[in-house]
Amino acid sequence: MDKVPIKLSVNGVEHSAEIEPRLLLVHFLRENLGLTGTHIGCDTSHCGACTVVVDGRAIKSCTAFAVQADGRSITTVEGLEQDGKLHPLQDGFFQEHGLQCGYCTPGMLMTGLAFLKTNNSPTDDEIRHAISGNLCRCTGYVNIVKAYQYAAQKMRDGGE
Amino acid sequence: MIPRSFEYFSPRTLDEAVALLQKLGPEAKLLSGGQSLIPMMKLRLVSPEYIVDLNRIPGLDYVSESDGHLKIGALVREHQLESSEIVQTKFPVLADTAKVIADPLVRSQATVCGNLAHGDPANDHPATMLALGATVVATGPKGRREIAIEDFFPGLFTTSLEPEEILTEIKIPLPPPRSGGAYLKIERKVGDYATAGVAVQLTLDGSGVCQRAGVGLTNVGMTPIKAKQAETFLTGKQLDEATIQQAAELAASESAPMDDIRGSADYKRDLVRVLTGRALNRALDRANGGA
């Protein structure tokens, strides 16, 4: 089958590629670009481990074709840290022990990135709804909610 | 899981999309949100030869009010409905529905029109659109045509769209004053399909008599079900508790569930009864000005 050209921005870096239309976005990120921070979990759009942010919206990259991302701007977990400084969400997961095995963490962080942009003073209940598409089998979610609150506070203090 | 190969088309206008469907024939499949289609392609339950991606067509992502109707364009995502002010204020049943579809990540991609066009009786919007008396707008080689929602689901995973037609808009009449609706769904976990779901839309007159009742049922039959007997029974009556309970029993008798991993047919039928009662009470509260 013919390959198609795409151009997109990932973590602020422009990329061009020739891809098969059936290539899933998560495979493009991991295999073509080597950005393996985005995880593949269930591969059936249940678990959210593959969550990335596309033009400001958190989506499951196992349930999108890479060709659909042509011309779009993507942020993955690798794009969170800036100039050697952890993003407030990453800091929050560290401070509040928001992970154990860490497998779900990239997805949890990316859902948080899109969510806190729309709501920087969420209730615990709003956070629980926001992460309802991201499964964690270790933490019981309590510390993840705390980590989001930590990040929200830090972002408010920082004027974000 | 990797889908079979396909050829990809990305039209920039509706006319171009319709022309592609005419040219490519029945092996072409439309892609909008992709949250049902892509998982099915990965599982190789479907393997279309051609994908016609609607996402690059501008001007299809509107939720607007005109000519006495709410209009929802083909590329409106579920999260847009959740956050739309007109939906929250005038169509609480629609806001209820959008909030319980899949999960927030899926809802940032999934489209409302796709939820109907997929023809899946387990999807949530069909019941709601049946309760609201919506109209579906199909665009094809001969232009636009309107299809009443009760004629839209002839069978399992089928719709009355022609192969060369695209579902481009949903039209819902604006509810008169003293209207209210509600959608209730029982699911085993977030993101699951409904074990059963019930959508209700009521309009009352000045003395509280029911002028119009719409009742739609999710995932309790081969197609989305319009509970016509319950609707007829409610119309013209004061909605006291005994009336509501009788209507709930009628709705349960109109459902046609099957035993599966989500429960037995008897259990689901009883869920329809309980949910219909609760949804009618909530819709009544809302018609009387409650939240």
Side-chain angles (χ1 to χ4, degrees), chain B residues 29-237:
Chain B
K29 220 32 197 153
L30 293 168
L31 173 67
S32 57
Q35 302 301 289
S36 297
L37 179 62
I38 297 174
M40 288 178 85
M41 289 172 67
K42 289 172 71 178
L43 292 165
R44 304 207 174 187
L45 295 171
V46 291
S47 295
E49 267 181 54
Y50 310 107
I51 286 289
V52 178
D53 184 354
L54 299 178
N55 286 285
R56 308 279 168 178
I57 302 177
L60 294 179
D61 60 350
Y62 54 87
V63 180
S64 62
E65 187 183 333
S66 63
D67 316 322
H69 286 80
L70 178 74
K71 296 178 179 175
I72 301 170
L75 288 178
V76 173
R77 320 277 163 180
E78 299 292 354
H79 80 100
Q80 263 178 280
L81 271 199
E82 281 178 90
S83 53
S84 151
E85 201 185 320
I86 174 175
V87 170
Q88 285 170 0
T89 53
K90 294 189 180 165
F91 295 92
V93 61
L94 208 46
D96 284 357
T97 310
K99 277 183 205 147
V100 295
I101 291 171
D103 65 53
L105 305 170
V106 171
R107 293 200 293 274
S108 65
Q109 289 280 78
T111 64
V112 185
C113 287
N115 198 274
L116 298 186
H118 191 44
D120 185 346
N123 280 354
D124 297 286
H125 280 305
T128 298
M129 298 303 171
L130 283 166
L132 285 165
T135 302
V136 165
V137 178
T139 302
K142 291 177 202 148
R144 282 162 62 102
R145 81 181 165 111
E146 299 198 348
I147 307 165
I149 190 73
E150 54 260 47
D151 300 327
F152 191 66
F153 304 106
L156 183 67
F157 283 105
T158 49
T159 69
S160 45
L161 289 173
E162 297 295 330
E164 295 162 357
E165 283 180 326
I166 301 169
L167 197 173
T168 46
E169 186 178 276
I170 302 167
K171 284 172 64 177
I172 308 171
L174 287 174
R178 297 209 73 187
S179 294
Y183 184 66
L184 292 175
K185 169 183 183 177
I186 296 284
E187 55 186 359
R188 296 174 303 171
K189 58 175 265 295
V190 167
D192 193 18
Y193 292 109
T195 306
V198 178
V200 162
Q201 176 74 16
L202 299 173
T203 300
L204 311 177
D205 71 8
S207 54
V209 170
C210 178
Q211 296 289 94
R212 181 193 173 279
V215 182
L217 311 179
T218 299
N219 212 11
V220 285
M222 298 296 272
T223 64
I225 291 170
K226 183 172 164 68
K228 289 180 192 157
Q229 292 173 37
E231 292 175 349
T232 309
F233 178 78
L234 289 162
T235 308
K237 291 198 177 65

Side-chain angles (χ1 to χ4, degrees), chain A:
Chain A
M1 204 55 71
D2 287 348
K3 292 194 172 186
V4 291
I6 59 166
K7 272 188 191 175
L8 72 172
S9 157
V10 181
N11 302 328
V13 180
E14 300 296 325
H15 294 274
S16 303
E18 298 263 324
I19 55 162
E20 270 195 87
R22 65 169 167 171
L23 183 68
L24 296 166
L25 180 57
V26 68
H27 292 139
F28 175 75
L29 294 170
R30 288 175 57 86
E31 289 159 27
N32 294 47
L33 302 186
L35 296 171
T36 53
T38 301
H39 290 167
I40 299 174
C42 68
D43 206 10
T44 54
S45 52
H46 286 94
C47 79
C50 65
T51 304
V52 299
V53 174
V54 180
D55 287 347
R57 287 188 290 142
I59 70 159
K60 293 178 175 176
S61 63
C62 78
T63 310
F65 294 116
V67 65
Q68 293 178 273
D70 183 29
R72 314 234 186 253
S73 175
I74 296 180
T75 310
T76 70
V77 68
E78 289 91 344
L80 284 178
E81 188 186 308
Q82 296 288 329
D83 307 322
K85 270 187 66 183
L86 292 181
H87 186 276
L89 271 160
Q90 292 172 304
D91 195 20
F93 273 70
F94 174 64
Q95 298 292 343
E96 299 289 352
H97 202 136
L99 65 145
Q100 288 178 33
C101 86
Y103 202 86
C104 73
T105 310
M108 286 287 181
L109 290 168
M110 301 322 290
T111 295
L113 183 70
F115 172 64
L116 293 180
K117 283 243 166 70
T118 62
N119 183 353
N120 75 353
S121 46
T123 64
D124 285 0
D125 195 47
E126 286 169 338
I127 293 171
R128 285 179 176 276
H129 277 100
I131 61 173
S132 59
N134 296 82
L135 300 183
C136 171
R137 299 286 84 147
C138 302
T139 62
Y141 302 99
V142 173
N143 288 355
I144 293 174
V145 175
K146 285 184 190 164
Y148 269 49
Q149 289 292 15
Y150 180 100
Q153 179 70 48
K154 198 169 170 184
M155 289 164 80
R156 287 197 300 274
D157 291 347
E160 285 185 49

